[in-house]
Amino acid sequence: MNPKVRLIDEQVLSDNWYVLKKITFETQNQDGSWTTQSREAYDRGNGAAILLYNRAKGTVILTRQFRMPTYVNGNETGMLIEVCAGLLDKESPETAIIRETEEETGYRVSQVHKVFEAYMSPGSVTEILHLYIAEYSDDMRAGDGGGLAHEQENIEVLELPFGEALDMVASGDIRDAKTIMLLQYAEAKGLIQPKFSEPEFPKPSLHILIAGPYRSGTNDDPALIQRNVRLMQAFASKIYEMGHLPVLGEWYALPLIETAGSTRIGDEVFNRIFHPSAVRLLDHIDAVLRVGGPSQGADEMVNTARRKGKAVYYELKDIPPAR
């Protein structure tokens, strides 16, 4: 076999259920020297596992049962979701998995396809697992499954949508290695098209500009201008309560105008900043809400927003709420 490995001694530590041996051996190093080592190896025989799938229904058959080793290593219930599997018991892998399929799931399959084989825990367990897939249909159901009573098996049979099974791998609800391997094989090979439910993604909040009259119809009367501002701010408050972020062009423009030295509405500094700042703001918002009465400036904002591909609303009920 391997000339760089010499078996020195095998000591049976336990044969209560399967066989646990302590093996002492030598391995040859790259420089030609030899190192003596000891390892324990658990021989429980080889096994087979199978993923049953139905293309038309988009489903797979899995099982759920209590697994003591997982229970003592962090699995709170000890229950594990798995593909159907079992030991060969001196049968061929194909014969064994066909038998196990009927015993555990109740489905009688006649044709199975081997996809690969794998050592499942090569550091301590000798087992090779032969992995299969097979299509199933409802008319193949020959019994309830559930395993054999004399082997103290108490197996629950699960028929799950393929997409749900993949989600359970991602969420950690499925943590069995052979099951993950076969589900991912089925996904990679396109054996079944997963039918995922539409995720409930939160709708993002929108940055909404409230466009309405500021000077229009006021003859620059400060009291009437302030009334127009209060109207737009009332809409801003409602938009905020809907989960969005409102903005008035005046909130940007007026402090800039004052800082720049404007002395009255309509002077050179006012005109240089007031409307152009609102146009510039349109590049940084998602939508416009047009409110209030006639306003050439507000209408220009709406038209510019449309040209930039922004949404335009005229009533609050048309704005989708954020979640």
Side-chain angles (χ1 to χ4, degrees), residues 20 26 35 167 187 211 235:
L20 176 63
E26 292 180 329
T35 301
D167 284 341
E187 181 184 28
F235 277 100

Side-chain angles (χ1 to χ4, degrees), residues 107-126:
Y107 287 91
R108 183 176 295 156
V109 297
S110 57
Q111 292 185 334
V112 297
H113 175 65
K114 185 174 179 179
V115 292
F116 48 80
E117 59 186 56
Y119 291 98
M120 297 303 293
S121 186
S124 58
V125 181
T126 63

